[in-house]
Amino acid sequence: MHSILRALQKVGVLLAVVLLCIGCSKVPSTSFNPWQTISLPTESNLQDIAFTGDSMQHGWVVGSGAALFETTDGGKTWQEKNLELGDQNYRFTSVSFSGQEGWIVGKPGLLLHTADEGKSWSRIPLSSKLPGDPNTILALGADSAEMTTDVGAIYKTLDGGKNWKALVQEAVGVVRNISRSPDGKYVAVSAKGNFYSTWEPGQQAWVPHNRNSSRRVQNMGFTKDGRLWMLARGGQIQFSTPEDPQKWEEPQYPELSTSWGLLDLAYRTPDEVWLAGGSGNLLKSGDGGKTWQKDREIENVPSNLYKIVFVQPDLGFIIGQKGTLLRYEPPSEAA
């Protein structure tokens, strides 16, 4: 009996080794790591980043615990800034600028506005009837911005935040994340990732859609050519078809060994796509998402990578937990 048990144990160990080898990453490595780690003196989870004006030298990054940092050298160095907001512990979730005018939103119920690139910030009162807490903000021009809440309400102001017009008649429900296309369309993923909703200018309400697989949706957004992309549990990525945004191409699994999941996707150019996730997972595609390479140097970054932002093709950032900030520095021949 003992010999049989020992034999079964050996078989179990061999099977575990085989499964482990099957799960090992076979994704080819990138030839160059363009991401440099920037040190920020904070344990806050960073949430968003934005730059003022046209020079792309002056910018702001925000995060939990009312974290607010300013750069004047294109994001190479950052200085912490403190705003007098009382005893409430705010989580800044989004920041956006158009020229010198900028906005910050946060939870619980916070809206800040600046007209001088952040030299001074004023707090704008929010209605107690606002459905949910502010979630994202996008500066659209002089005195104009669009704001969403964490239950999918969308509002627009044309007078610097004094008045806001609701763009949808009803909120969609608690959302995991929400994204906007350059032409004003939105896609929102439900909190549980079991369905998503779309909205475009002129519609009165969100249009709900069932997810197209059993995998829960992690995040969604828009491609450079106006299609949708979807990240789902287990490292799955899909793109909608060019003909019909409700139909999807075959799912991809850029890295079968992905266990922490994929969290965000961003385009540096129409063809170059970056994909980030948990535990320092960072992948790159040079053909619009058909094939992938892995940036293995970033695996040493002890952080989940939440968000990728390219301010312009040669200036990008990846933000994550506990003050993690990566800055894109293009290869010399592409700079």
Side-chain angles (χ1 to χ4, degrees), residues 228-255:
L228 288 170
W229 55 259
M230 176 192 293
L231 304 180
R233 295 274 179 89
Q236 177 181 289
I237 178 173
Q238 278 186 286
F239 297 92
S240 65
T241 63
E243 300 79 19
D244 186 350
Q246 295 190 43
K247 294 183 179 180
W248 294 86
E249 297 177 351
E250 287 297 313
Q252 301 179 47
Y253 301 88
E255 186 177 21

Side-chain angles (χ1 to χ4, degrees), residues 23-178:
C24 290
S25 175
K26 296 181 180 179
V27 182
S29 300
T30 56
S31 60
F32 174 77
N33 170 38
W35 299 94
Q36 304 300 316
T37 303
I38 306 298
S39 178
L40 290 183
T42 181
E43 289 292 303
S44 296
N45 294 333
L46 303 180
Q47 301 291 323
D48 200 11
I49 190 168
F51 279 72
T52 73
D54 299 321
S55 67
M56 297 304 159
Q57 295 296 303
H58 187 200
W60 297 84
V61 66
V62 298
S64 62
L68 182 62
F69 290 85
E70 179 184 21
T71 182
T72 55
D73 57 9
K76 297 176 183 176
T77 61
W78 296 81
Q79 296 77 42
E80 187 170 11
K81 301 294 179 180
N82 294 304
L83 301 179
E84 297 296 329
L85 298 174
D87 297 330
Q88 179 69 55
N89 183 19
Y90 289 101
R91 176 172 175 252
F92 296 159
T93 58
S94 181
V95 58
S96 182
F97 275 85
S98 176
Q100 295 187 337
E101 186 173 24
W103 307 80
I104 292 175
V105 295
K107 304 176 182 180
L110 182 73
L111 175 62
L112 304 174
H113 178 252
T114 179
D116 54 16
E117 295 192 15
K119 295 183 179 68
S120 61
W121 294 89
S122 59
R123 183 168 182 174
I124 297 179
L126 291 170
S127 171
S128 60
K129 297 181 180 179
L130 182 74
D133 284 319
N135 188 37
T136 69
I137 189 81
L138 178 67
L140 297 175
D143 294 326
S144 179
E146 274 184 16
M147 175 178 67
T148 71
T149 75
D150 56 9
V151 295
I154 308 174
Y155 291 90
K156 185 172 184 177
T157 182
L158 298 173
D159 57 8
K162 297 182 181 67
N163 296 282
W164 294 86
K165 178 184 178 181
L167 299 184
V168 292
Q169 297 304 311
E170 294 183 5
V172 71
V174 180
V175 299
R176 178 188 297 266
N177 41 55
I178 188 168

